[in-house]
Amino acid sequence: MSETTPNHGHGNGTGNNVPAPRDTGAGPEVIGVRKGMFGARSGGDTSGYGGLVRTVALPGASPRPYGSYFDEVADELEGALEEQDLLPQNAIEKTVVDRGELTFHIAREHLVRVARTLRDDPALRFELCTGVSGVHFPEDKGRELHAVYHLRSLTHGRIVRLEVSAPDSDPHIPSLVSVYPTNDWHERETYDFFGLVFDGHPALTRIMMPDDWQGFPQRKDYPLGGIPIEYKGAQIPAPDQRRSYS
């Protein structure tokens, strides 16, 4: 499998389908502001919760030293990429240490090479990928869809995370099944629920929803739906149609 996906304009630095550049400052990366509770706007607010205002922020790049074994892993990964004539700053968009976890944000066109390096380099040896999770940030313009991989080194007893983003308009990410075969069904589930297309997957089909299902149910802009219920003559509508107090 190719390590790039040239048919979708990945990594060419031009066009509307390239994920937006990241703010590499040390502070949090604010992507939006949410107001009220649950995102609902209909109905009168007698609770006061409609006045809630919450900033939506992603962790910014962390300064060195990172602490724990994180500096050693970062140094080894950057050195191994340089040995392959790949500048680390071209592959690693930012490095984040947050809540005791080390996360490398990777440019999607370099994901397969970085994953293979983490797996095969003797000083790294992250032999196991325990799965990929999808995340949808509608406010993160140009990077609305995220895929998060959890890697574990059985040799060294270490854990790292890889995070990759893609825009809604071009939801393509290279598959890691060729590097970590256990990702087969995990990538299918993430595709099924979030619509992320894993290029190079051997059989990218729905795994939970029916084959003809429309849309991707775990995106935040997907309607809640539900089945109307009748209770003693009164109709209880679906959750996203009920009166709210936000």
Side-chain angles (χ1 to χ4, degrees):
M1 183 193 71
S2 172
E3 295 184 8
T4 61
T5 48
N7 292 335
H8 301 286
H10 300 177
N12 59 12
T14 61
N16 296 327
N17 291 334
V18 178
R22 285 202 169 277
D23 177 3
T24 57
E29 185 180 351
V30 177
I31 61 173
V33 176
R34 293 178 185 167
K35 299 180 179 180
M37 290 187 69
F38 311 117
R41 294 290 177 268
S42 61
D45 178 11
T46 61
S47 66
Y49 286 116
L52 290 177
V53 178
R54 185 171 72 88
T55 299
V56 182
L58 304 178
S62 300
R64 285 181 180 265
Y66 303 136
S68 185
Y69 55 80
F70 299 161
D71 291 277
E72 182 179 348
V73 170
D75 289 341
E76 293 291 348
L77 176 59
E78 292 172 6
L81 293 177
E82 288 177 344
E83 290 175 358
Q84 302 173 50
D85 296 323
L86 174 59
L87 292 176
Q89 60 266 33
N90 290 342
I92 304 172
E93 296 176 339
K94 68 174 180 178
T95 302
V96 176
V97 176
D98 185 59
R99 294 173 174 83
E101 294 182 320
L102 173 65
T103 303
F104 296 110
H105 289 253
I106 306 299
R108 56 180 171 172
E109 64 268 23
H110 297 301
L111 174 62
V112 175
R113 181 183 292 192
V114 170
R116 186 174 290 120
T117 301
L118 285 166
R119 184 195 67 181
D120 294 344
D121 190 278
L124 296 168
R125 293 296 293 155
F126 286 89
E127 307 99 330
L128 176 64
C129 180
T130 58
V132 55
S133 303
V135 190
H136 185 210
F137 292 110
E139 307 95 337
D140 195 11
K141 300 304 180 183
R143 302 188 308 263
E144 292 87 356
L145 295 169
H146 293 233
V148 183
Y149 299 84
H150 308 267
L151 308 184
R152 180 181 293 272
S153 171
L154 305 179
T155 299
H156 302 294
R158 296 170 173 175
I159 299 174
V160 299
R161 300 163 78 245
L162 301 181
E163 187 164 340
V164 186
S165 62
D168 264 336
S169 59
D170 182 29
H172 290 262
I173 292 175
S175 171
L176 286 188
V177 171
S178 65
V179 182
Y180 297 108
T182 52
N183 254 6
D184 190 335
W185 284 18
H186 293 286
E187 288 183 357
R188 286 179 60 195
E189 183 180 45
T190 303
Y191 160 72
D192 196 356
F193 287 151
F194 290 91
L196 276 164
V197 179
F198 294 91
D199 295 325
H201 189 284
L204 193 63
T205 57
R206 290 192 182 271
I207 192 171
M208 302 292 287
M209 310 302 293
D211 290 340
D212 59 352
W213 191 267
Q214 299 297 312
F216 305 103
Q218 287 192 354
R219 289 196 183 189
K220 291 181 180 177
D221 54 4
Y222 189 85
L224 293 176
I227 301 174
I229 299 172
E230 182 176 346
Y231 178 71
K232 292 186 178 179
Q235 291 287 337
I236 301 177
D240 59 342
Q241 300 171 7
R242 298 175 190 169
R243 183 170 181 264
S244 68
Y245 293 97
S246 60

